[in-house]
Amino acid sequence: LRGQLPLEEIVEAMELSIREGSSLTRQGLPDDILQMLKVLQKHFPDEVNLDRVLGTRAPKVQRSAAQDYTELMEADYYQDMPILPTSDEMLSQCAFEIQENMRTYDKCEDYIQTHFMLLREDYIEPLRAGIKLYMEGRHSPKDLHVYTNVKVVGLLSTHEGLVYRIQLQRSQIRSINWEKSKQLMYGSLLCLSEDNFHTLIWATVWRRDEGLIASEGQLDVRLPFDPFDDRLSPGKTFCCIENVTIYFEAYRHVLCALQAMRPTDVPFQHTLLTPQPDPTPPSFLKADNDMFHFQNVFETCEKPDSKVQAPKSFKVLQEWPHELMESLDIDVSQLEAIKHAMTHNVALIQGPPGTGKTWVGLKIVRAILDNTRNFRHSPILVVCYTNHALDQFLEGIYKFCGRVARIGSRSKSEEMQQRNLKQLMMEVQASREYLHARRALNERRDTLREQLAKVLADVDRHTMELIDVQTTMSERQFEEFYAGYVDYMGKDKRGLPEDAWDVDDELWEKMMKEWLDTRDIAKIAAPLVGKQAGPSDAKKDKDEGEDEDDANDNEEEEAESMRLDRQLDVEAQDGQRKTGDFIAELKNAWLPFEEDHLEKLKPELRSLSWRDEDLWRLPLALRRETYRRWLLEAHHAARELLPELARKLERNAEQRAALERDRKLAMLQEMEVVGMTTTAVSKYQQLLKELRPEVVIVEEAAEVLEAHILTALHPRTQHIVLIGDHQQLRPSTAVYRLSKCFHLDVSLFERLIKNGAAHVTLEQQRRMHPKISMLMKPLYPALRDHPSVSEYPEVKGIASRCFFMHHGYFEDDEGESHSKANSFEANFIAALVAHLVKSGYDGDRITVLSPYLGQVRLLKDMIRRNPLTEEVPVTAVDNFQGEENDIIVISLVRSNRTKTMGFLAVENRINVALTRARHGMFIIGNTDMLMGNKLWSSIIHTLECETPRGIGHKMPLIEPESGGIFEVKSADDISLLLGDEDADVGGNSSPSQQKVADRWANLGKDEEKPESRGKGRHQRDWDNGQSKGGNGAGNGSGNDKWRAEDKPRGKVSNSRAAPAAASAVPPSNDEDSSPVADAPSTGDGAGGEGKKKKGRAKATTIRLFG
C-alpha cells in the first residue's frame, strides 16, 4: 500500500486546496477528510505530515471591493437583487458583500450569484466613489462630468417606449465636438438629483442627436427599468453626473441575462462547477453516428508529395488514423486540437501567439458543419470579443459556407455588412401575417399616443378650461357660480345665455378674468411653482467654471476606440431618424402636490373650504386660492394617468419588439452560422434564448469575462469550443481590486485549465522570426518555430532584427492625465519610424505600440506631423492582441526614481507586446526599471547573449544610400542621419544643409554637459556587462569588433524642442553622454544648453561601415 498510494501528493493537494481557498476548503478541511488523513498519518507517519495541513490557513476573505464603506450589507438572492445601485450604496456609502470567483463551486446557485454580484460591483464601485468625491468637491473632470441646472423639457413616445428629453446648460457643453466626443454617448448611465443627492434618479442616454444637442443643448434619456418616474417633472432643476470610467450598457444586459437564468439553465455543470475527471463527447455524438467526413476539412492541407493518401472519413470516437500526420501538412498539435474539439463537449484550445488559432477554429467550424447537419436543429453560434476578430472569423467561414448572418451594427467589413441581420431582413419580403399584426400594434400605439398628448396638454396647462371646472364642481355649484356672474354683471348681462350649460370657452375666460380680477389668468398659478431649489451656488460656480478644454481633454482619445467599439456593439438610436416618434414639448413647470402646497399657506388660507362658500362673495385672495385648488385637482387628476399610459406604451413596444424578433428568428433559423460579439450576446438575449444554439464556438475566450460566456449558453447547448490564450490579455475590469482580490479577471477559459480540465496547446508558431520568438521561451517552453519564419528578409535600415535601446530619461509629469507618457521615447520613435520609412518600408508595414494611452496620444501627435509617417499605425498594446505586422516598435514609457513598473510588470501585457512582430522588433525603454522582474530579466539576458548584442544605449541604424552604420541614441542623431528634407521629425528641425557624411565629420567640438539628475541610479554598462553608478547611456555597443576609436563630439546645433509636458532626465555621469534638446538639464521640457561641468569633454564612438 505504501508503494501504491501517492501519500505526499495527497497532503500537498490538501494543503494547496486550503491555501488557494477553493469552495470546498474555505472554512478548512471537512471532518471526513481530516479523519482520513489522521488514519493515514497513524499508519504512515514518515510520509504523512498532518501538521502542514492543519497549520495551513485559507487566504483572508475579502468581502467588498469598496475602499471605504460604512456598512457591509448581506446580498439577496441574485434574482431578487436590484441591478441599479440602491440609495444606501450611493448615499450612505454602504456595500453588498461579495464572494470571490472560486476555482470550483458546490452549487450552481452560488456560481451564478457570485458572477452576478461581482459584475454588478464592477460598475457600482466607480459610481459610489465618484459621487463621494463630488460631494467632497474632489472629483476629477476627466472621470466625472457634472451638468448643473438640467431641466426636463419634453416627453417622447418611441419604438422602445417613453423617453424623456432633457436640456443642459449651453455654457457647460459649448466646446464639445459632438461628432468625435464619447461624452453622453448612447447607453451612458446618468445620475440625476434635485436635492443635492439626497435622492437619486437613474437614467441612460437613449439618443444623442448631434444637431439637437449642439443647437439646443437637448438630449433624450430613458429610465433603465421603469417606464415613468413622476419625479422627473418640468420646472425642477437637476444636477446630473456622468461617470465616464464605466459604460453601463455593457453591464446592463449581462446582469439582466444572469438574473433571468435559473440554475437548471446552466449546461455542462459537471465541468463548469467542478473538474470532470473523464471528459465526455457532445451529447449528440454517439458510437453509432460518429463516422465523420473530413474531405473538405483537409483538402487544402495535403502534402503534394505524400505517398500516403489522407483518410476522407473515419470514426472520431475511436483512434484517429495515423496516416493523417503522414499525409497532411499540419503540425501534430493542430491535428490534436481538431480531434479534441470534435470529441469533447467542453473543448479548450490554447493558442500561443502566431500558432494559428483562427485557422484551427475555421477547420473546426467546417468539420462541425459538414458532419452535424442531421443532429443540429439550430445554427452554430460564433462569439468573439472584438468586432474586428468577428469580421475576420466570419469572413473565413463565408468562404466555405454562404449561409452566415452577423448580428451587431459595428462591422467594418464590407462583406460582413452585406451579411448583417438587418440587411438580410431588408432583402426579404415580409409575410402578410406579419404586416397585419404590425398594423394592428401600430394602430394601438397611435391611439395611446393620442391619449398621451391629451393628458400631457392637461398636465402642462396652468389655466382651468371650462370642461375642467365643470368636472371639478357639482352641477348645482356650477349653476350657482354662473348665476353669481350674471348678478355681478348687472346691467351688462344682456347677451348672456340663460342656461349655465350654454357657456362657451370664450365666455368662461371672461368670467375668470372678472372673478380673479386679472388680465392674465396664467399668472395666478405662479405662486404654486415658485423658485425651484437647485444645487448650491458654490457648487454651481465650481462646476460651471470648469475649463471645458480640461474636462474634455480625452474626449477624442482614438486609442480607446477599440474598447468603445466592443462596448457599443448595440444598435444605438439614429439621431437623424425621428419619423415615427411622438414628441410633446413641456413648457410649463408641473404643479406641486396639494399637501405640499397647503403646508406653505397661512392658516386663514389653509382652512379654506371653497365648496361651502359663495364664491362671488369671497375676498380676492381666497378667490385666487380657490382657483389654485382647482388647478391642483385638475393637474393631478391628469398626472395620475401618466404611469398607466407609460406602461401601456411600454407593453405595446415590447409586443412590437417580439413581433420583429419572431421575424428575425425565422431568418436566423435558415442560417448555418450566426456570429456576434460578447456585447451583442447580452443585448440580444431574448433572441438567443429562442434560437437555442446547440453548438457555441468562442474565439478570444481568454479575454472574455466568465459571465459573458455564461449568458451565451442555453440549456440545450451540447457543445462549446473555447479558443484563446490565458497567458495573453485577461478580461478587463473597471475596479482593480475586483481583479486582485476577487479574481474577476480570471476567464472561464483560464479557470477550467487551472482546474485541470482537458485541453490542447498549439505548439508551432508561424509569425515571428526565431530571434523574436526566443524572447517568449520562459512563457512557452514547448513553442517551436515553423521553418518558414527563418526565411524572412533582413530588416531595412537597422543593423539588427531585434534590439532593445536603453535610456535613462524620466517619464513625463502626470499632470491631470491619468495615463503615462515619455517625451524622450516619443521623439526617438517618431524619428526612428521616419528612418524606417525612408529605408524602404511602407507606413502600414510598421506599427508603434505602447501600454499607455497617454503615450499613444503623444506618439500619434508626433508621428502624424511628418507626411512621411502619417500612415504609420499607433495603438495601445491592449488593442493589438491578435494582430501582427512586419515591424513593431514598442515604447515602454516607465522611467522613474521609485522604479514603479505599472503595466510593465503584467506578464500578459508583456507577452502581447513582444509577440506581434514578424520581421523585426525594436523596444525603447529604461532597462533599470525592469531588472527586478523575472520575465524581463530573462528577456534582457537573452538579448545580452545575442551576437551582435541585442541591447544597448545606442541603436545601430543603416544609412539607406551608403549602407554605413550609425549608432544613434536620440532623435537628434536620427534626424542628422535623415537629412534636412526629413528633419522635422518628432516635432524638431535642424538648420544645417550638409550631407550626412559632412555632418558626422564636423562633430568634434567641445560641448557643454547638462547638469545631472537622479544620481546614483543603477545603470547597466552594455560594453563590459558590469554595473556602475550613473544615470545615462552606456559606452559603446557591447561588441569589440564594432568598436572604433573615440572622437570628441561637438554640440549638435539644433532648434528643436521637446513638448512642454516633458520631465525627462538627461544622461548623467557617463562620459559618452551628449546633451540633446529632448532632455534639457533643467527638466522643464524646453530645449536648451545644459550647465557647464568641470572635466574633460565628452566623447562619442563614431562607427562608419559600408
Side-chain angles (χ1 to χ4, degrees):
L1 186 62
R2 176 179 276 109
Q4 295 176 9
L5 274 178
L7 298 170
E8 294 185 5
E9 287 83 349
I10 289 176
V11 175
E12 288 177 1
M14 295 297 175
E15 179 185 358
L16 182 64
S17 179
I18 299 174
R19 199 178 301 282
E20 294 188 352
S22 73
S23 62
L24 289 172
T25 57
R26 275 183 295 188
Q27 309 301 327
L29 289 175
D31 291 340
D32 54 347
I33 299 293
L34 281 173
Q35 188 64 30
M36 179 197 77
L37 289 174
K38 289 178 180 178
V39 172
L40 290 175
Q41 185 182 39
K42 179 180 178 181
H43 292 282
F44 309 103
D46 295 334
E47 291 86 351
V48 179
N49 180 5
L50 200 54
D51 293 338
R52 284 174 50 189
V53 177
L54 297 178
T56 303
R57 292 289 178 267
K60 182 180 178 182
V61 177
Q62 300 285 339
R63 304 175 69 193
S64 172
Q67 293 281 20
D68 301 307
Y69 58 85
T70 57
E71 180 185 351
L72 197 64
M73 303 180 291
E74 184 177 351
D76 294 331
Y77 189 58
Y78 70 93
Q79 291 185 325
D80 301 322
M81 280 292 297
I83 289 177
L84 287 174
T86 65
S87 295
D88 285 340
E89 287 178 285
M90 294 296 105
L91 306 179
S92 303
Q93 294 293 304
C94 298
F96 282 107
E97 184 176 359
I98 55 178
Q99 302 295 333
E100 63 179 307
N101 180 17
M102 309 297 295
R103 286 183 59 179
T104 61
Y105 293 87
D106 294 334
K107 299 177 182 178
C108 196
E109 291 91 336
D110 296 339
Y111 177 48
I112 303 175
Q113 175 92 14
T114 297
H115 285 282
F116 176 87
M117 292 302 300
L118 287 174
L119 194 64
R120 182 181 182 275
E121 187 67 16
D122 195 43
Y123 95 85
I124 284 182
E125 168 57 17
L127 296 177
R128 178 169 45 223
I131 285 183
K132 181 181 180 182
L133 290 174
Y134 169 73
M135 298 300 291
E136 296 172 351
R138 298 189 296 115
H139 69 280
S140 166
K142 293 184 180 299
D143 291 342
L144 216 65
H145 295 156
V146 181
Y147 313 93
T148 55
N149 294 323
V150 177
K151 299 177 181 178
V152 176
V153 296
L155 273 174
L156 291 75
S157 170
T158 71
H159 67 279
E160 286 192 16
L162 210 61
V163 171
Y164 289 84
R165 177 159 291 177
I166 62 174
Q167 184 160 338
L168 311 176
Q169 278 198 307
R170 299 279 301 281
S171 60
Q172 297 176 1
I173 58 174
R174 186 184 300 119
S175 64
I176 299 173
N177 182 349
W178 294 108
E179 291 184 359
K180 296 182 178 180
S181 174
K182 307 302 181 198
Q183 194 168 339
L184 294 171
M185 64 184 178
Y186 170 77
S188 294
L189 185 64
L190 307 179
C191 181
L192 298 103
S193 179
E194 59 172 317
D195 53 10
N196 206 25
F197 294 92
H198 290 100
T199 59
L200 310 177
I201 302 173
W202 299 99
T204 58
V205 176
W206 187 78
R207 179 170 57 197
R208 188 190 74 182
D209 185 320
E210 294 169 6
L212 184 65
I213 197 169
S215 61
E216 305 293 334
Q218 293 181 356
L219 178 76
D220 295 335
V221 302
R222 178 167 159 76
L223 303 176
F225 299 106
D226 297 314
F228 181 79
D229 191 325
D230 192 72
R231 294 174 298 171
L232 274 177
S233 58
K236 297 180 180 179
T237 57
F238 297 90
C239 181
C240 175
I241 288 181
E242 176 193 22
N243 192 319
V244 296
T245 63
I246 59 105
Y247 182 60
F248 176 65
E249 197 71 8
Y251 291 89
R252 172 188 173 186
H253 298 293
V254 183
L255 289 170
C256 288
L258 287 173
Q259 198 166 59
M261 184 177 289
R262 300 168 302 178
T264 54
D265 292 340
V266 179
F268 316 118
Q269 292 192 21
H270 290 299
T271 302
L272 300 188
L273 303 186
T274 55
Q276 170 126 344
D278 298 316
T280 57
S283 57
F284 56 72
L285 192 60
K286 308 294 181 184
D288 58 350
N289 65 356
D290 68 332
M291 179 62 74
F292 274 27
H293 305 282
F294 289 90
Q295 180 173 358
N296 295 329
V297 178
F298 295 137
E299 63 180 350
T300 60
C301 310
E302 296 186 18
K303 296 177 181 177
D305 55 349
S306 175
K307 298 178 180 179
V308 180
Q309 188 174 7
K312 307 300 182 186
S313 304
F314 50 87
K315 285 183 168 289
V316 293
L317 293 181
Q318 298 180 9
E319 189 70 25
W320 283 34
H322 63 85
E323 292 88 356
L324 286 172
M325 280 312 304
E326 299 178 20
S327 58
L328 298 179
D329 186 21
I330 61 178
D331 69 83
V332 177
S333 64
Q334 289 176 326
L335 184 62
E336 192 62 31
I338 296 172
K339 176 183 178 181
H340 176 78
M342 294 295 103
T343 56
H344 289 69
N345 60 356
V346 178
L348 303 168
I349 299 172
Q350 182 189 6
T355 53
K357 293 187 293 292
T358 301
W359 183 89
V360 170
L362 291 173
K363 294 298 181 185
I364 292 169
V365 171
R366 184 153 202 182
I368 295 175
L369 283 174
D370 288 352
N371 294 283
T372 63
R373 285 190 173 92
N374 297 329
F375 312 145
R376 287 184 294 107
H377 303 90
S378 61
I380 296 174
L381 175 62
V382 171
V383 179
C384 294
Y385 182 48
T386 62
N387 282 287
H388 178 63
L390 180 62
D391 284 340
Q392 284 188 328
F393 202 51
L394 291 182
E395 283 173 349
I397 295 173
Y398 193 56
K399 292 176 181 177
F400 56 79
C401 175
R403 290 193 290 165
V404 173
R406 189 196 195 282
I407 301 178
S409 59
R410 303 186 72 82
S411 171
K412 295 181 180 179
S413 162
E414 293 184 8
E415 192 171 45
M416 286 302 104
Q417 286 173 1
Q418 298 303 311
R419 301 305 302 174
N420 189 280
L421 178 59
K422 184 181 289 187
Q423 179 65 31
L424 295 175
M425 297 296 295
M426 293 173 61
E427 297 172 1
V428 177
Q429 186 173 359
S431 68
R432 182 179 300 176
E433 293 77 13
Y434 163 82
L435 294 173
H436 178 74
R438 189 179 68 173
R439 187 181 304 112
L441 287 171
N442 287 344
E443 288 174 356
R444 172 62 176 160
R445 178 202 62 193
D446 294 341
T447 301
L448 291 172
R449 285 180 173 178
E450 290 174 4
Q451 297 175 18
L452 179 66
K454 183 180 182 307
V455 170
L456 287 175
D458 293 341
V459 172
D460 197 48
R461 195 170 54 246
H462 281 188
T463 58
M464 288 291 290
E465 293 188 353
L466 176 61
I467 186 65
D468 298 328
V469 176
Q470 289 174 340
T471 304
T472 302
M473 294 182 180
S474 66
E475 291 185 11
R476 181 181 61 80
Q477 286 174 325
F478 182 72
E479 289 171 354
E480 288 177 354
F481 184 78
Y482 178 67
Y485 174 69
V486 173
D487 293 341
Y488 172 81
M489 295 300 293
K491 296 179 181 180
D492 296 330
K493 65 182 179 182
R494 285 179 298 177
L496 294 178
E498 294 183 2
D499 192 339
W501 301 100
D502 291 334
V503 173
D504 59 15
D505 292 331
E506 183 179 354
L507 178 57
W508 172 254
E509 185 176 354
K510 292 179 180 179
M511 290 171 59
M512 286 296 98
K513 287 181 178 180
E514 294 293 340
W515 186 59
L516 298 171
D517 191 19
T518 182
R519 292 183 179 180
D520 187 355
I521 301 174
K523 289 184 178 180
I524 303 299
L528 292 174
V529 179
K531 184 179 180 181
Q532 299 299 310
S536 67
D537 292 338
K539 269 204 165 56
K540 282 185 185 178
D541 292 341
K542 180 182 185 302
D543 294 320
E544 291 177 20
E546 284 179 0
D547 187 334
E548 274 83 5
D549 290 334
D550 289 342
N552 301 300
D553 183 59
N554 285 338
E555 290 305 325
E556 299 172 21
E557 181 64 80
E558 294 180 34
E560 294 183 336
S561 62
M562 288 189 67
R563 175 181 64 83
L564 292 168
D565 182 63
R566 290 194 290 270
Q567 296 176 338
L568 283 168
D569 192 26
V570 291
E571 295 181 9
Q573 307 310 316
D574 185 355
Q576 305 302 319
R577 188 190 65 191
K578 298 179 184 177
T579 57
D581 289 348
F582 161 80
I583 304 175
E585 293 185 9
L586 303 174
K587 299 180 180 179
N588 295 319
W590 286 8
L591 304 182
F593 292 101
E594 188 170 1
E595 297 79 9
D596 298 333
H597 170 64
L598 292 177
E599 287 180 2
K600 299 176 183 178
L601 293 180
K602 296 178 180 178
E604 59 269 22
L605 294 178
R606 191 183 306 144
S607 60
L608 171 67
S609 178
W610 63 269
R611 296 183 187 277
D612 301 327
E613 302 285 349
D614 183 345
L615 298 178
W616 284 95
R617 293 182 180 274
L618 287 173
L620 182 59
L622 293 180
R623 291 184 189 184
R624 291 184 173 181
E625 175 57 26
T626 299
Y627 187 80
R628 294 185 192 112
R629 302 274 183 92
W630 293 349
L631 278 175
L632 290 174
E633 188 173 331
H635 174 87
H636 286 288
R639 192 162 163 181
E640 288 172 357
L641 301 174
L642 287 176
E644 183 59 27
L645 268 176
R647 282 191 288 271
K648 289 180 179 179
L649 284 165
E650 193 85 5
R651 281 197 297 270
N652 180 266
E654 290 171 356
Q655 290 168 347
R656 285 183 286 118
L659 181 66
E660 295 298 330
R661 192 165 56 245
D662 288 343
R663 187 164 175 249
K664 292 176 181 177
L665 186 63
M667 170 66 72
L668 293 177
Q669 286 172 339
E670 298 295 322
M671 298 293 117
E672 291 269 23
V673 176
V674 172
M676 56 208 311
T677 63
T678 53
T679 302
V681 164
S682 59
K683 168 75 173 178
Y684 299 100
Q685 266 298 303
Q686 193 60 39
L687 184 63
L688 278 183
K689 190 175 181 180
E690 296 172 11
L691 187 62
R692 301 175 180 178
E694 296 151 288
V695 179
V696 178
I697 297 177
V698 185
E699 258 260 70
E700 307 174 303
E703 288 188 76
V704 183
L705 288 169
E706 185 160 354
H708 286 253
I709 294 181
L710 185 57
T711 57
L713 305 181
H714 186 271
R716 294 195 182 182
T717 303
Q718 303 174 48
H719 192 190
I720 180 170
V721 181
L722 303 178
I723 305 172
D725 183 9
H726 57 288
Q727 292 179 265
Q728 296 186 56
L729 292 182
R730 278 180 159 183
S732 59
T733 62
V735 180
Y736 173 69
R737 292 189 74 241
L738 285 174
S739 296
K740 183 179 179 181
C741 304
F742 294 88
H743 314 303
L744 178 58
D745 65 339
V746 175
S747 63
L748 172 64
F749 184 88
E750 180 176 358
R751 186 173 67 84
L752 292 181
I753 287 181
K754 288 189 173 181
N755 274 350
H759 68 284
V760 171
T761 300
L762 302 178
E763 295 180 346
Q764 189 175 64
Q765 69 91 16
R766 303 180 183 224
R767 173 189 295 164
M768 300 164 279
H769 190 278
K771 286 187 176 293
I772 301 172
S773 65
M774 67 179 180
L775 301 181
M776 287 295 105
K777 289 297 183 183
L779 293 182
Y780 305 106
L783 191 63
R784 306 186 311 274
D785 300 318
H786 189 270
S788 61
V789 299
S790 300
E791 301 172 3
Y792 287 152
E794 293 295 328
V795 175
K796 304 173 186 177
I798 303 179
S800 178
R801 189 178 290 278
C802 183
F803 193 86
F804 192 137
M805 201 201 84
H806 164 76
H807 69 83
Y809 290 78
F810 279 177
E811 63 203 46
D812 300 349
D813 291 333
E814 189 171 336
E816 291 188 4
S817 173
H818 291 295
S819 192
K820 305 291 182 182
N822 189 309
S823 295
F824 171 80
E825 291 185 14
N827 278 299
F828 184 88
I829 289 173
L832 178 64
V833 167
H835 170 72
L836 287 168
V837 172
K838 191 172 182 182
S839 297
Y841 286 105
D842 293 334
D844 59 2
R845 293 180 62 193
I846 306 166
T847 296
V848 178
L849 299 178
S850 176
Y852 290 95
L853 294 178
Q855 185 74 347
V856 169
R857 183 170 61 251
L858 183 59
L859 283 163
K860 282 185 177 181
D861 179 57
M862 292 186 173
I863 289 174
R864 290 176 180 174
R865 290 182 199 173
N866 188 346
L868 195 68
T869 59
E870 59 186 1
E871 299 300 321
V872 174
V874 181
T875 187
V877 171
D878 286 10
N879 291 341
F880 208 64
Q881 176 157 328
E883 304 295 322
E884 59 185 46
N885 210 340
D886 288 347
I887 303 296
I888 297 293
V889 182
I890 304 170
S891 172
L892 297 184
V893 180
R894 300 314 300 267
S895 179
N896 51 68
R897 298 182 189 278
T898 60
K899 298 192 184 303
T900 302
M901 293 178 64
F903 290 153
L904 302 187
V906 181
E907 284 192 359
N908 304 65
R909 281 191 167 97
I910 302 171
N911 184 0
V912 174
L914 302 189
T915 55
R916 305 299 103 196
R918 289 191 289 260
H919 299 175
M921 180 174 70
F922 306 98
I923 309 167
I924 293 84
N926 183 344
T927 55
D928 296 341
M929 300 288 302
L930 312 175
M931 293 308 297
N933 180 277
K934 182 178 179 181
L935 178 58
W936 276 116
S937 297
S938 171
I939 292 169
I940 291 170
H941 177 72
T942 302
L943 291 170
E944 285 177 329
C945 296
E946 278 295 289
T947 304
R949 190 182 295 267
I951 191 167
H953 298 94
K954 299 177 182 179
M955 184 176 288
L957 304 190
I958 301 174
E959 202 281 318
E961 296 180 4
S962 68
I965 296 178
F966 301 89
E967 289 193 327
V968 299
K969 61 193 297 185
S970 69
D972 294 318
D973 295 348
I974 300 176
S975 61
L976 289 174
L977 178 63
L978 288 172
D980 282 336
E981 62 273 22
D982 300 306
D984 189 16
V985 175
N988 302 321
S989 59
S990 176
S992 176
Q993 298 294 322
Q994 295 174 309
K995 297 292 184 183
V996 174
D998 295 335
R999 294 177 190 273
W1000 286 85
N1002 287 336
L1003 298 179
K1005 301 178 181 179
D1006 290 348
E1007 61 183 356
E1008 297 166 325
K1009 186 170 182 177
E1011 183 181 14
S1012 173
R1013 286 175 57 191
K1015 294 181 180 180
R1017 293 197 298 131
H1018 171 69
Q1019 178 218 348
R1020 297 184 62 83
D1021 187 325
W1022 306 111
D1023 285 324
N1024 54 30
Q1026 299 177 355
S1027 299
K1028 67 177 183 177
N1031 183 35
N1035 300 317
S1037 68
N1039 192 323
D1040 289 337
K1041 69 178 182 180
W1042 283 29
R1043 186 179 296 278
E1045 181 183 357
D1046 286 354
K1047 297 180 181 179
R1049 178 177 177 179
K1051 180 175 65 180
V1052 179
S1053 176
N1054 197 317
S1055 64
R1056 299 176 295 175
S1063 60
V1065 174
S1068 63
N1069 301 330
D1070 191 307
E1071 294 184 350
D1072 194 32
S1073 302
S1074 64
V1076 291
D1078 296 310
S1081 62
T1082 59
D1084 61 0
E1089 297 181 0
K1091 297 179 181 180
K1092 235 173 195 178
K1093 188 173 181 180
K1094 292 182 180 180
R1096 66 184 178 88
K1098 292 178 295 180
T1100 187
T1101 303
I1102 311 291
R1103 298 173 180 83
L1104 301 178
F1105 291 86

